Amino acid sequence: MTESRSGGGTPRVRMAFVGCGGMARHHTRRILMQQDTTEVKIVCEPSGQSYEAFCALFDEAGETPPPNEPDLEKMLACDELDAVFIITPHVLHFAQAKACLEAGLDVLLEKPMVMNAQEAVELIEVRDRSKRLLSVAFNGSMSPQVRTGTKILRSGKLGRILTISGVAWQNWMSFTTGLWRQDPEVAGGGFLFDTGAHMLNTISDLAGEDFVEVAAWMENEGAPVDILSVVIARLKSGALVSMNAAGNTNSGIGSDVRVMCEKGMLQTGIWGERLLVQEMEDEALTPVELPESLGTWQQFLRVRAGEIENPCPPEIGLRMARLWDAIKESAGQGGRPVTVGS
C-alpha cells in the first residue's frame, strides 16, 4: 500500500476509523490538526446518529467528511488504507483488531486492548503472523510524561521500586447509567475496566514487570458493574502495589500515581498528565518539563515512522489483561489472594 502525499510531498497516512462515537470524535478533533500527516479515507460506523455527529467535526473544519461503510469486511476491501484506529465497545476489540491486522493494516486500538488474557495472547499471535504494527491507545503510555518516567525508573537513578500506589476517581456512574459501559457482557467490567483501565495500564507500564499475586474487592453500588474497587498486588520483584478506584464521586475526574523507590519517588497521573520527581537530596517533588503531545494518534505515527519504539505494545496489554483476570477472580471470591495467570 502506498501512502498519499500532502501538497509538500510529505507522505500522509491513509487511515480509517472503526467507530465514530464520543471517544472517536475526541480523537478526531486532534487528528484534524494533523492533516499534513493524516488523511481520513473512510469510517465504519453502524449508527447513523454517531456518523452524523462525526461528520459535523469535518464540516466545522471546512473539510469534506469521509464516507461511511458500516460493514467492516467491506470497508477492509478498500485498497487505499494504511492504518486503522479502532474505537468501539470493549467486547468488539479482539475480533476487529484481528480482522484489520490480517487485512494488512497497522492498528491503533482504543483501550482496554481486549477483554481477557486469552484474547491478548491470541492477538499477539496475529500481530506476529501479520507483521503489522499494533499499539494500544492508552494516553498514559503514549505520553512523554510516562515514557520519561519509565526511563528514569529503568535507569536505576531512583533505586529499586518499593511500592506503587494509584488512585482514580470520577463521577462515572452518573453519566454511564443505561449505556453499554454498564453492560458487563459488552464492557467486560465497570469503572475499573473503563476509566480505571488507564490506572491498570500506567502502573503496569511503570512497573515494567509482571504481577504475581493479587487481592481485590469490588462494590457495584446498585449498578450492574463495579463502581468502587480496591486492589492490592505484589510484583515479581516483591514490590507492593495498591490501587483505589471510585466511580461515583461528585468531583469530576482525577488521578494520582506514586512510585516509591529506595532513592526517591516519582509522581504522575494515569493519563500522564504530569511528571514530578524527588531524589534523596531534594526537599520536594520537582516538575519535569516535557513537550506537549497532540495525542495518541501523533505518537502512533511516530512509531510507524520509526522515530520511537512502540510505547504501548500488546505485551503491556497482556500484562494488564492478566492483572484484570486476577482482579475479577479475587473479587469474586471475597478478596481471597490469587496467583496471577493461574
Side-chain angles (χ1 to χ4, degrees), residues 44-218:
C44 179
E45 173 54 64
S47 167
Q49 184 177 4
S50 292
Y51 176 60
E52 183 177 344
F54 182 84
C55 290
L57 298 178
F58 286 79
D59 293 335
E60 292 168 8
E63 300 292 332
T64 301
N68 180 26
E69 173 47 73
D71 185 291
L72 179 61
E73 184 177 351
K74 291 180 180 178
M75 191 206 78
L76 292 177
C78 174
D79 62 357
E80 296 184 345
L81 291 175
D82 306 301
V84 63
F85 195 169
I86 299 173
I87 312 175
T88 55
H90 307 161
V91 72
L92 303 176
H93 287 186
F94 170 73
Q96 291 176 337
K98 179 176 182 291
C100 291
L101 289 168
E102 291 176 340
L105 301 178
D106 293 330
V107 175
L108 180 59
L109 178 59
E110 185 55 77
K111 63 80 188 169
M113 184 174 83
V114 287
M115 298 278 275
N116 53 57
Q118 182 58 44
E119 287 187 348
V121 169
E122 292 182 24
L123 198 56
I124 289 173
E125 292 173 352
V126 175
R127 186 275 315 265
D128 292 344
R129 288 199 308 270
S130 66
K131 302 187 186 306
R132 305 311 305 178
L133 172 63
L134 173 61
S135 293
V136 187
F138 273 109
N139 308 63
S141 287
M142 291 285 194
S143 71
Q145 289 74 17
V146 172
R147 294 274 46 85
T148 301
T150 58
K151 289 179 181 177
I152 292 171
L153 293 171
R154 304 296 182 269
S155 73
K157 182 179 181 180
L158 300 180
R160 178 171 61 94
I161 294 176
L162 303 175
T163 67
I164 303 176
S165 65
V167 183
W169 64 90
Q170 188 180 20
N171 55 343
W172 184 89
M173 184 177 178
S174 64
F175 65 80
T176 58
T177 298
L179 303 180
W180 68 262
R181 294 182 189 276
Q182 286 198 32
D183 182 342
E185 297 301 317
V186 177
F191 179 64
L192 186 58
F193 199 53
D194 193 36
T195 298
H198 290 282
M199 177 169 61
L200 301 181
N201 177 82
T202 292
I203 288 178
S204 296
D205 193 352
L206 292 168
E209 58 177 312
D210 291 336
F211 292 85
V212 295
E213 189 176 18
V214 168
W217 296 263
M218 291 179 172

Side-chain angles (χ1 to χ4, degrees), residues 189-339:
F191 179 64
L192 186 58
F193 199 53
D194 193 36
T195 298
H198 290 282
M199 177 169 61
L200 301 181
N201 177 82
T202 292
I203 288 178
S204 296
D205 193 352
L206 292 168
E209 58 177 312
D210 291 336
F211 292 85
V212 295
E213 189 176 18
V214 168
W217 296 263
M218 291 179 172
E219 296 293 341
N220 286 18
E221 296 287 284
V225 293
D226 59 275
I227 302 299
L228 307 177
S229 301
V230 172
V231 180
I232 301 173
R234 186 186 301 274
L235 294 168
K236 186 177 182 180
S237 65
L240 303 177
V241 178
S242 65
M243 290 173 274
N244 185 314
N248 62 347
T249 66
N250 61 1
S251 55
I253 187 170
S255 76
D256 182 70
V257 177
R258 301 194 183 213
V259 184
M260 310 295 186
C261 304
E262 293 176 308
K263 302 177 183 178
M265 68 172 290
L266 179 151
Q267 181 188 24
T268 184
I270 65 175
W271 301 280
E273 58 266 42
R274 60 188 173 278
L275 178 63
L276 299 92
V277 175
Q278 182 176 3
E279 298 184 59
M280 290 185 69
E281 63 273 17
D282 298 334
E283 294 184 359
L285 286 160
T286 301
V288 179
E289 299 298 328
L290 293 164
E292 184 179 357
S293 168
L294 280 177
T296 55
W297 181 254
Q298 182 191 58
Q299 302 307 310
F300 178 72
L301 293 184
R302 294 188 66 198
V303 177
R304 288 192 83 247
E307 297 175 4
I308 58 173
E309 292 186 6
N310 189 353
C312 199
E315 285 77 9
I316 294 179
L318 173 59
R319 182 183 300 152
M320 181 194 134
R322 285 173 172 157
L323 170 62
W324 175 242
D325 285 352
I327 288 172
K328 290 190 295 181
E329 181 182 354
S330 176
Q333 299 178 23
R336 184 181 68 82
V338 300
T339 301

